[in-house]
Structures are given as structure tokens and as C-alpha cells.
Amino acid sequence: MIYPVPRPVSYYPLETAASYLRRLCIANHMDLAAVAQALNEGCAQLRTQQRAETILRRCEDIGGLAAGTIAREDDSTGLTPRPDCHQCDRTDRPRWMCLQCTQGEHVEQVRHHRTTICLKHQRWTGPGTTPEHHVRVDHPDLIAAERTFRHLELGRCPTNVIAARTIAADWATHTAPHGVAQRLGALSIGHLPDDVQDEILTYPEAVSLMALFADGTWLHELLRTTRGYHDIRAAIAERIATVIPEHPGHVTAMVMREIRPAIARYFHTHGAYRRYYDHPGNPAIPVWHHDVELTI
């Protein structure tokens, strides 16, 4: 039978089981390896999901937590295999809770896309930022972007978040827009890794892109009424220029590359090409060749 420890510690939102167990052992002067071994005892014959749930329940028991308190979703304990995907690899980075929120304790959270900046203490807490690298980002552009991100719930799709941040960071690297340069001068982030700096500096632009494509109604209507690639690109460029006025051409090119599969899928399932392969005489065409004359 498992009994609660004499000195329980509070559980923080979305904290991983490993992080909670580490803090629990420190507070009660217990050996982490020995406790972890005890939690795993008798679980070897269980299936992966059953073993994971059993260990989590035991962890909750010794911490005196109610069943289901510890986050199960996308845990970082290594019990759930991850697919080989470059975007998943980029996402699969530790996320540490704001040090001021946790009163100085190092609390690792499960991977999620709900927040990036702690608005209470104005600290950057994006994936891959270690507790030692939690810096103040009290720039009004960044704070406004985080409020928009939360209000519109733009983090529901991790792939969109990754794509928008990648585009924004690449745009800043290759074009050095004036606004981003000013933002850099107002932030003390020079000691951070380059990739983290890029994400911080271009966070407002990334959020603007996420907001633009959060509702795809306008894009669907555009595809329904448009046949030519250049017409699609021109319409998207016009919209991008409203949210990122500095060097929008570079952003447009990257956005077109990202949404190419969606456009191709639409044309081949709902648009003009949906019956294309019913005619064996039609030649094979590149995905983007929307301006050629076809038998439809």
C-alpha cells in the first residue's frame, strides 16, 4: 500500500509527472531513483498505456493528490512513442513554468501551445527556454501579441504555430526589418540562443500570421473563385501586407510554400481538377500548373 509523504508539495498546472516527483523527493529528502523504481515495481507485464497510468496514479497517491490531477496529455516521461516528424521534433522541447509563478522552483510542464509569455510577470516561457534563460520581455508589442494569441486561442494547432514562427523568424533573418531591429534594442536577450532570440523578436509577426489564417473561410472562397497560381499569390500577398507591411514579399513566398498542399488538395477534390484523372488522355501535370487547358 502506498501512503502519502509527510510533506506534500503543490502541483502546478500542466506539470510533468517527472518534474512533480523530483520536487516531491527534494522536499521530503527521498532518493529520486529509489522512489521511481518503487513506482515502477510490478508494472513490467502491463501494457504501455496501463503502465503509464499506474505509475501516474501511484505518484498522485504518494503526493496526496486527487486522481487525475497530474496532466496525462502529451507527457514527457518517454512512455508514449513519438512519430518521426521534423515539426514534432521542433515542438518536442521542454517548457518550463515561469520562475516567479513557481516561487523559484524549476517546474517542467508538458508540451503545449496555450501560452508563450507569462503575462503576470512578463517573462518568456516558450518551448526550449530553460529556467536560467527566463528573461523579461516587457515590450508592448510582445505583450499585445500574447494577449491576442490567448484571446483567439491560436495555439490549438501546433503545426500552424510552428509554421508561423518559422516564417516570421526567416523573414527577420533575411530582411532585417526596421521594427524588429528596434525591438532587439529594447530587450535584454543577447545572451539567449539565436533560435530563441528569433522567436522572441518576431513573436508579434508570427501571431499576426496565425490570426490571419486562423479562419480559412476567405482562403476557401479565394480557391473557389480562382484558377491561376499568380491570382492566388496576389490575393494572399495583399492580405499579408496588412499584417506585416515590411517586406511582405518574402513572407508571401514562404506562406505559399507552406499552404501548397492545402491548395493542391482543394483543386483535386473540390475544385476544377476533381475529375481530371477520369480522363486517361490528360497528361501528368505539376501540382501548381493551374493555368493550363485541361479536359475537365
Side-chain angles (χ1 to χ4, degrees):
M1 183 176 290
I2 297 178
Y3 295 97
V5 295
R7 188 181 178 186
V9 298
S10 57
Y11 176 80
Y12 289 101
L14 293 176
E15 184 175 8
T16 65
S19 174
Y20 177 74
L21 185 62
R22 173 182 55 80
R23 295 192 302 109
L24 193 67
C25 289
I26 292 174
N28 290 273
H29 307 286
M30 300 186 299
D31 181 72
L32 178 59
V35 173
Q37 184 177 356
L39 293 180
N40 279 275
E41 188 175 350
C43 293
Q45 303 303 320
L46 298 178
R47 294 181 178 179
T48 301
Q49 294 292 344
Q50 292 177 315
R51 183 169 67 250
E53 182 60 27
T54 300
I55 294 172
L56 287 175
R57 284 292 297 113
R58 290 176 177 178
C59 189
E60 289 167 341
D61 288 341
I62 66 171
L65 302 176
T69 300
I70 297 178
R72 265 68 169 171
E73 181 184 356
D74 194 17
D75 207 331
S76 59
T77 56
L79 294 173
T80 304
R82 301 181 181 278
D84 293 329
C85 168
H86 71 281
Q87 291 190 343
C88 291
D89 289 341
R90 180 180 172 84
T91 311
D92 188 23
R93 296 182 296 174
R95 177 185 288 273
W96 297 86
M97 196 170 181
C98 170
L99 282 177
Q100 285 180 258
C101 290
T102 59
Q103 301 179 357
E105 287 193 279
H106 290 187
V107 175
E108 185 177 4
Q109 296 183 297
V110 299
R111 276 68 167 171
H112 63 97
H113 301 268
R114 302 178 189 178
T115 62
T116 296
I117 298 173
C118 172
L119 291 177
K120 183 177 181 180
H121 301 111
Q122 298 184 343
R123 286 180 177 270
W124 181 266
T125 59
T129 309
T130 64
E132 292 77 14
H133 286 160
H134 278 189
V135 295
R136 287 187 64 81
V137 287
D138 51 355
H139 194 285
D141 289 355
L142 273 72
I143 301 304
E146 178 65 15
R147 293 189 189 281
T148 300
F149 182 85
R150 297 188 187 190
H151 176 68
L152 299 180
E153 298 182 348
L154 299 176
R156 287 177 296 179
C157 177
T159 301
N160 287 351
V161 173
I162 294 168
R165 286 187 172 175
T166 301
I167 292 171
D170 188 274
W171 160 76
T173 301
H174 290 86
T175 62
H178 181 64
V180 173
Q182 281 187 329
R183 212 172 286 150
L184 177 61
L187 296 170
S188 300
I189 60 174
H191 62 289
L192 299 181
D194 290 343
D195 61 333
V196 177
Q197 286 193 52
D198 290 342
E199 289 194 359
I200 293 175
L201 292 173
T202 60
Y203 186 57
E205 286 74 23
V207 170
S208 296
L209 284 177
M210 294 178 216
L212 179 63
F213 289 95
D215 179 8
T217 304
W218 66 270
L219 182 59
H220 188 277
E221 180 65 19
L222 173 66
L223 297 179
R224 190 181 67 81
T225 58
T226 308
R227 297 291 180 88
Y229 167 79
H230 295 291
D231 294 334
I232 298 173
R233 181 188 173 106
I236 290 178
E238 183 179 353
R239 285 184 175 264
I240 288 177
T242 63
V243 296
I244 304 181
E246 292 182 295
H247 304 284
H250 183 77
V251 180
T252 301
M254 295 196 69
V255 167
M256 292 300 293
R257 187 173 64 191
E258 288 288 341
I259 67 175
R260 180 181 300 181
I263 296 175
R265 184 169 57 251
Y266 176 85
F267 271 89
H268 283 88
T269 57
H270 299 85
Y273 295 168
R274 64 187 181 280
R275 303 295 301 276
Y276 178 76
Y277 292 110
D278 290 349
H279 302 274
N282 282 338
I285 59 171
V287 167
W288 281 114
H289 228 157
H290 298 314
D291 295 318
V292 298
E293 230 177 276
L294 306 169
T295 303
I296 297 175

